[in-house]
Amino acid sequence: MNGIRLQSSGFLDAITRPEIGAWVEAFVDFITDVFQPVFDVIRSVFQGLYDGVDLVLSGPPFWVIIIVAALLAFVARGPVFAVGSAVGLLIIVGVEQWDNAMDSLSLVLVAGLIAIVIGIPLGILAARSKVASSIIRPLLDFMQTTPAFVYLIPALILFRIGVVPGIVATIVFALAPAVRLTELGIRNVDREVVEAGNAFGASSWRILRQIQLPLAMPNIMAGVNQVIMLSLSMVVIAGMVGAGGLGGDVVKSLSRIDIQLGSEAGLSVVILAIFLDRLTASLGGGRKQRGKRMKAAPSSPGGIRPAPASSTTTTDSTASGEEQRTPAESPTTVR
């Protein structure tokens, strides 16, 4: 009986244990051998984008960047947010994490921009095609549920150690909200509005550009906000593959059990996260407020806005002194 059990156990193990890891490894080796020149070009492009953004942020004195950030905050949300942003960035300077913060911010901006450029068109495609949506959604589920360390390994193999694997892993991790919320916003556009555009002979591209995208913009901006936040959450993981920045200091603090370094780097990440979250959220909020103001514009009980006083004209009946009757005073119609 024991021998039978052992044999059956080995038989079940042979059946139920597919060599998925070996297949993935063989697939990655094949891609590396065949498409390595392509990945080298991608690495050069991503590295060039990162170096350019980092030069813009790290090149000027810190007070220039703080003034620009405070002006953006003032335009977006007012003086309170501007003062709070300036104070938060000065705290980063005070704990000597400014250079690392600008490196991390450069990574977030590059990865977030690429994720947005890829995600919004994919969301539009998914909203306009059920077949595309049925293909894209499982891929997004896989990307969101798979731990970041899993796809960080092939990224490290394909792009070598440095900031580029961190950018690639961040793009994969942060791409899903841009796609999902863009698709959701376009699908939630009132069908009657779209049908009205079709009735007036508007092309599909014109309906998308002038009707669907403007009405879906609050959802799209919410997706942009989530992309930025998820990109910033990948800073520490990117620091494990040599991306540097604040994530690199957090990794060092873990290896050294350095509470001071870890708390200062972590506080800097929090300050950047709050600033970017409020700034990007206000971009979508401004459109919502404008829409509310348009809906709240005064109108007559029948739903028609009154004409301006300057445009009123004297009709022939009023010129001749003829009395105007309101609908309530008009004679009833005999059926």
Side-chain angles (χ1 to χ4, degrees), residues 193-307:
V193 180
V194 178
E195 291 174 358
N198 289 322
F200 281 100
S203 63
S204 177
W205 165 248
R206 189 172 182 180
I207 291 174
L208 173 66
R209 182 171 54 90
Q210 296 184 351
I211 297 177
Q212 292 177 317
L213 286 181
L215 293 177
M217 192 57 64
N219 288 70
I220 295 174
M221 293 309 302
V224 171
N225 175 268
Q226 292 301 306
V227 167
I228 297 297
M229 292 297 100
L230 291 178
S231 299
L232 195 56
S233 68
M234 286 289 290
V235 164
V236 176
I237 296 177
M240 295 181 177
V241 293
L246 297 173
D249 274 8
V250 173
V251 173
K252 290 178 184 178
S253 67
L254 288 173
S255 61
R256 302 174 186 174
I257 317 298
D258 190 341
I259 298 177
Q260 178 181 353
L261 180 61
S263 60
E264 291 174 352
L267 177 63
S268 301
V269 173
V270 170
I271 291 172
L272 287 180
I274 293 174
F275 173 73
L276 293 175
D277 176 58
R278 299 296 186 271
L279 186 64
T280 54
S282 65
L283 297 178
R287 294 179 179 272
K288 290 182 181 179
Q289 294 298 327
R290 286 194 294 270
K292 290 180 180 178
R293 286 196 298 266
M294 291 179 63
K295 291 180 180 180
S299 60
S300 63
I304 304 174
R305 292 188 178 91

Side-chain angles (χ1 to χ4, degrees), residues 146-188:
T146 303
F149 292 99
V150 174
Y151 47 77
L152 192 63
I153 298 172
L156 187 61
I157 295 173
L158 295 174
F159 299 101
R160 299 188 295 274
I161 194 169
V163 71
V164 176
I167 293 175
V168 174
T170 302
I171 293 172
V172 175
F173 184 73
L175 182 64
V179 181
R180 292 187 187 277
L181 289 174
T182 300
E183 179 184 2
L184 178 65
I186 293 177
R187 288 186 181 276
N188 285 343

Side-chain angles (χ1 to χ4, degrees), residues 1-318:
M1 292 295 293
N2 292 334
I4 294 175
R5 289 178 181 176
L6 290 174
Q7 290 178 0
S8 62
S9 177
F11 177 74
L12 290 175
D13 289 341
I15 292 180
T16 59
R17 194 190 187 287
E19 298 295 332
I20 296 178
W23 299 340
V24 174
E25 184 178 2
F27 179 71
V28 172
D29 291 339
F30 170 76
I31 291 179
T32 304
D33 295 337
V34 176
F35 298 102
Q36 190 59 50
V38 178
F39 292 112
D40 289 339
V41 173
I42 296 175
R43 173 185 170 83
S44 300
V45 172
F46 285 4
Q47 187 69 48
L49 290 174
Y50 172 80
D51 292 338
V53 176
D54 191 50
L55 180 63
V56 172
L57 295 176
S58 301
F62 70 88
W63 54 268
V64 175
I65 303 299
I66 292 176
I67 290 175
V68 173
L71 290 175
L72 290 175
F74 178 80
V75 173
R77 298 181 71 95
V80 176
F81 181 50
V83 173
S85 300
V87 172
L89 295 176
L90 286 174
I91 291 175
I92 296 177
V93 176
V95 297
E96 299 179 352
Q97 289 288 344
W98 180 257
D99 292 335
N100 290 331
M102 293 302 101
D103 293 341
S104 296
L105 183 59
S106 300
L107 187 150
V108 169
L109 292 179
V110 171
L113 178 62
I114 296 174
I116 291 168
V117 169
I118 297 174
I120 291 179
L122 284 179
I124 295 173
L125 177 62
R128 298 173 70 87
S129 172
K130 292 183 178 180
V131 176
S133 178
S134 63
I135 296 173
I136 292 174
R137 285 187 178 183
L139 295 177
L140 296 179
D141 294 336
F142 177 79
M143 291 162 56
Q144 285 188 299
T145 55
T146 303
F149 292 99
V150 174
Y151 47 77
L152 192 63
I153 298 172
L156 187 61
I157 295 173
L158 295 174
F159 299 101
R160 299 188 295 274
I161 194 169
V163 71
V164 176
I167 293 175
V168 174
T170 302
I171 293 172
V172 175
F173 184 73
L175 182 64
V179 181
R180 292 187 187 277
L181 289 174
T182 300
E183 179 184 2
L184 178 65
I186 293 177
R187 288 186 181 276
N188 285 343
V189 173
D190 193 351
R191 291 185 179 181
E192 294 182 356
V193 180
V194 178
E195 291 174 358
N198 289 322
F200 281 100
S203 63
S204 177
W205 165 248
R206 189 172 182 180
I207 291 174
L208 173 66
R209 182 171 54 90
Q210 296 184 351
I211 297 177
Q212 292 177 317
L213 286 181
L215 293 177
M217 192 57 64
N219 288 70
I220 295 174
M221 293 309 302
V224 171
N225 175 268
Q226 292 301 306
V227 167
I228 297 297
M229 292 297 100
L230 291 178
S231 299
L232 195 56
S233 68
M234 286 289 290
V235 164
V236 176
I237 296 177
M240 295 181 177
V241 293
L246 297 173
D249 274 8
V250 173
V251 173
K252 290 178 184 178
S253 67
L254 288 173
S255 61
R256 302 174 186 174
I257 317 298
D258 190 341
I259 298 177
Q260 178 181 353
L261 180 61
S263 60
E264 291 174 352
L267 177 63
S268 301
V269 173
V270 170
I271 291 172
L272 287 180
I274 293 174
F275 173 73
L276 293 175
D277 176 58
R278 299 296 186 271
L279 186 64
T280 54
S282 65
L283 297 178
R287 294 179 179 272
K288 290 182 181 179
Q289 294 298 327
R290 286 194 294 270
K292 290 180 180 178
R293 286 196 298 266
M294 291 179 63
K295 291 180 180 180
S299 60
S300 63
I304 304 174
R305 292 188 178 91
S310 59
S311 62
T312 56
T313 57
T314 304
T315 59
D316 295 336
S317 58
T318 56

